[in-house]
Amino acid sequence: MFPDVRLRRLRKGKIRDLIRETTLSVNDLVMPIFVNENIDSPVEISSMPGIYNFPLSEVAKEAKETADLGIPAVILFGVPAFKDAEGSSSCGETDIVQEAVRRIKAELGDRLVVITDICMCEYTSHGHCGIIDFETKEILNDPTLEVLGKIAVSHARAGADMVAPSGMMDGMVDAIRQALDFSGFENVPIMSYAAKYHSCFYGPFREAAESGYSFGDRSTYQMDPANSDEALREVTLDVAEGADILMVKPALPYLDIVYRVKTEFDMPTAAYNVSGEYSMIKAAAANGWLDEKKAIYESLISIKRAGADFIITYFAKDAARMLK
């Protein structure tokens, strides 16, 4: 007890660095990239200052800039020129994400891990993450699984290093694993959005990906923010179906879930520091209410401290520059 024990002795100068329990490195970061078939030059997303939609002609350049900062991976989201109820522009061999993967791989080869998001919301005219019954307005789980498998195979064939299903359809990991294995892509890992909550923090993403829904909401397939045990049930099922990496989304409001998933399963665990989390810090910093660099660091280190092995974050490039 005090005065014999003085914890402040270890908080001075370089001693503080020596005993630091959690570290943040550029290798912990994944940068999201939006690629849009409808534009000819980069377009800044109004609700996400500093984040852009890129045309196909610019996506490899953006990926190279990311790799040059030492960031090891990107995750791609596509905005197609054509949308319909079935999301038919999602799984063609020459669709937007497939072409983006090819261009990045042609430019960078294995310098960068290319992850692709597997969902339908960016490709459907109604903005939901699956096939729907228009009479009942129900999002149909099982018919959607076949489409998700086709998307995953088309991404793998284009050269994706990893696929990441995000639609929270029951059985999605199993359907994708079977489709990949049947097509000869048994070595392509699956990072499952295993615990994805029905969150208000996705708002700016919907502008970026043009994925707002035309009716209802996504509460029938994304998780209730009040539930935590349910997250472990979701993760248990995804592990049994063959998930290689588990993800929690969003990150900051769900650090308890990140901790529980990592502690319970001891598997590679990711957290998605989502668009709303990014935009809040950017807005507060722009108004002089927060020190932006310190807020970025504190947010990301808290996600690591909770147990995440790596973080998908729109701050990846900013953080990489800070860390250097």
Side-chain angles (χ1 to χ4, degrees):
M1 300 295 291
F2 178 84
D4 298 312
V5 176
R6 293 177 180 267
L7 293 182
R8 288 182 59 188
R9 290 171 184 150
L10 302 180
R11 294 176 187 158
K12 294 185 296 184
K14 291 297 182 180
I15 296 175
R16 186 184 185 97
D17 298 336
L18 282 173
I19 66 164
R20 181 165 291 128
E21 298 171 21
T22 307
T23 58
L24 179 69
S25 105
V26 69
N27 290 323
D28 299 325
L29 307 173
V30 177
M31 181 68 195
I33 296 179
F34 298 99
V35 56
N36 191 318
E37 207 167 17
N38 304 297
I39 58 177
D40 298 317
S41 59
V43 176
E44 188 171 23
I45 299 157
S46 63
S47 57
M48 300 176 69
I51 302 299
Y52 291 79
N53 257 302
F54 292 95
L56 266 174
S57 59
E58 297 278 345
V59 71
K61 179 182 176 183
E62 172 65 10
K64 183 179 183 302
E65 181 178 316
T66 301
D68 288 345
L69 287 167
I71 297 167
V74 296
I75 183 167
L76 298 181
F77 299 90
V79 181
F82 173 75
K83 299 188 180 194
D84 60 17
E86 292 76 35
S88 59
S89 294
S90 62
C91 54
E93 296 301 318
T94 59
D95 282 332
I96 183 69
V97 167
Q98 292 81 348
E99 284 295 313
V101 172
R102 290 190 183 93
R103 294 189 183 210
I104 292 171
K105 283 298 180 181
E107 175 75 21
L108 296 169
D110 292 333
R111 279 190 63 201
L112 196 66
V113 175
V114 177
I115 308 166
T116 57
D117 178 73
I118 305 292
C119 194
M120 294 180 65
C121 63
E122 298 107 304
Y123 307 95
T124 56
S125 52
H126 46 76
H128 280 285
C129 301
I131 304 296
I132 65 169
D133 182 324
F134 280 99
E135 290 187 9
T136 64
K137 296 293 192 287
E138 179 185 357
I139 290 77
L140 302 174
N141 191 93
D142 295 8
T144 300
L145 299 181
E146 182 179 357
V147 181
L148 298 180
K150 290 179 179 178
I151 298 172
V153 169
S154 70
H155 288 183
R157 190 172 288 124
D161 297 297
M162 185 186 303
V163 296
S166 64
M168 290 297 285
M169 296 293 121
D170 293 335
M172 65 182 183
V173 174
D174 180 62
I176 290 171
R177 184 74 273 159
Q178 289 192 46
L180 288 171
D181 291 357
F182 180 79
S183 299
F185 297 110
E186 61 274 3
N187 291 323
V188 173
I190 297 173
M191 175 172 64
S192 176
Y193 290 63
K196 180 178 179 180
Y197 283 84
H198 182 238
S199 171
C200 71
F201 289 97
Y202 306 145
F205 175 92
R206 292 184 187 131
E207 177 195 349
E210 299 179 15
S211 62
Y213 35 79
S214 60
F215 65 87
D217 58 30
R218 294 175 180 156
S219 61
T220 62
Y221 45 102
Q222 294 176 355
M223 286 182 54
D224 185 339
N227 293 356
S228 125
D229 291 342
E230 183 187 3
L232 298 190
R233 293 182 65 195
E234 285 280 8
V235 172
T236 299
L237 290 168
D238 283 5
V239 171
E241 291 175 19
D244 300 286
I245 300 173
L246 308 169
M247 188 204 296
V248 176
K249 181 182 180 182
L252 294 177
Y254 298 93
L255 294 180
D256 60 318
I257 308 302
V258 176
Y259 176 80
R260 291 190 69 183
V261 169
K262 184 62 178 179
T263 302
E264 180 77 17
F265 296 93
D266 195 25
M267 281 182 60
T269 302
Y272 200 143
N273 182 218
V274 300
S275 59
E277 298 169 61
Y278 173 89
S279 296
M280 285 194 304
I281 289 176
K282 282 290 187 179
N287 281 282
W289 300 333
L290 286 177
D291 181 306
E292 183 173 334
K293 290 184 177 180
K294 289 181 179 179
I296 292 170
Y297 178 78
E298 191 172 338
S299 296
L300 297 180
I301 202 72
S302 74
I303 300 167
K304 284 292 303 296
R305 191 180 66 243
D309 296 291
F310 62 91
I311 306 164
I312 301 167
T313 176
Y314 301 96
F315 287 122
K317 290 167 67 177
D318 290 339
R321 294 185 184 103
M322 288 163 46
L323 292 167
K324 284 190 173 184

